[in-house]
Amino acid sequence: MTDLKQQLEQAIADNHVLVFAKGNKMFPRCGFSKAVVEVFTEVGCEFEVIDIFEHQDIKPTLISITDWPTTPQIFIGGEFVGGGDLVRELHARGELAPMVAAATE
Amino acid sequence: MENQDIAKIITDAIDGASCEVTDLTGTADHWGVKVVWSGFAELPLIQQHKKVLEAVRPYMTDGTNEIHAVQISTFSEND
């Protein structure tokens, strides 16, 4: 379990914007995951998506890192931002793009 | 689980909150949850969502799994 945790933590650190979702960028397999992909496409930034179904331990390991029980989960600049609904609310308030910009400086 | 069950779980957990629950998909497991509570005014957005999520967490995937997903929106007063 620990090396998977290290791998996830490394991916979190290595990507300005990282989304743990059900499915991937091209084929999100859940409405909430799809909405997050759309939001970041709208913001027009680079973002990486990790499909939690790639390995059964990804979700429990992720939960052990963030203590957030649901997916999708979003990280910006290595920081956990929250779930899909939170990212959509930030975007609706115009706060998401500046957060992403600050993380990519 | 019905709308009012979820609303009660949240209003029991967050004293003084009001809560509106809508079934997003008609399958009674993807819920839209709008919570209004004065206490949110002092909390950052992520803590607001976390507070609502912790209330329903026992019913989610690492609990009884009656609730598959919630789409949370939080407000500090009725706006």
Side-chain angles (χ1 to χ4, degrees):
Chain A
M1 190 71 110
T2 46
D3 56 355
L4 178 61
K5 190 167 185 182
Q6 280 159 350
Q7 284 169 30
L8 296 189
E9 283 164 347
Q10 193 58 53
I12 291 165
D14 291 349
N15 291 282
H16 295 305
V17 179
L18 180 59
V19 181
F20 287 89
K22 290 185 180 129
N24 55 43
K25 219 185 248 193
M26 302 318 284
F27 303 103
R29 281 192 271 162
C30 141
F32 293 167
S33 298
K34 184 165 173 284
V36 172
V37 168
E38 282 163 4
V39 162
F40 283 117
T41 307
E42 234 175 72
V43 167
C45 63
E46 263 185 50
F47 63 99
E48 195 45 59
V49 175
I50 290 180
D51 181 353
I52 62 165
F53 291 132
E54 263 171 37
H55 191 287
Q56 60 175 9
D57 291 341
I58 290 180
K59 186 170 181 184
T61 308
L62 187 60
I63 290 176
S64 74
I65 295 170
T66 59
D67 190 30
W68 192 272
T70 58
T71 56
Q73 293 194 19
I74 294 94
F75 293 79
I76 298 177
E79 293 290 322
F80 177 58
V81 171
D85 39 21
L86 199 122
V87 160
R88 275 154 49 121
E89 198 158 328
L90 288 170
H91 186 46
R93 297 176 184 200
E95 296 172 21
L96 187 62
M99 275 175 86
V100 170
T104 41
E105 256 146 39
Chain B
M1 199 164 248
E2 301 287 333
N3 304 41
Q4 59 276 21
D5 303 323
I6 296 172
K8 185 174 185 313
I9 290 165
I10 290 169
T11 49
D12 285 353
I14 307 176
D15 191 27
S18 67
C19 180
E20 210 182 293
V21 179
T22 46
D23 185 338
L24 294 174
T25 54
T27 51
D29 58 1
H30 282 67
W31 299 98
V33 172
K34 178 186 168 190
V35 185
V36 180
W37 181 54
S38 55
F40 284 146
E42 290 102 44
L43 293 177
L45 194 57
I46 187 168
Q47 293 308 329
Q48 297 177 29
H49 280 230
K50 184 91 189 262
K51 198 166 179 64
V52 177
L53 210 49
E54 288 306 331
V56 295
R57 188 168 186 165
Y59 307 90
M60 295 198 81
T61 39
D62 42 358
T64 60
N65 205 16
E66 290 163 279
I67 297 176
H68 175 68
V70 281
Q71 184 170 290
I72 297 167
S73 51
T74 52
F75 301 90
S76 50
E77 75 268 324
N78 271 316
D79 50 359

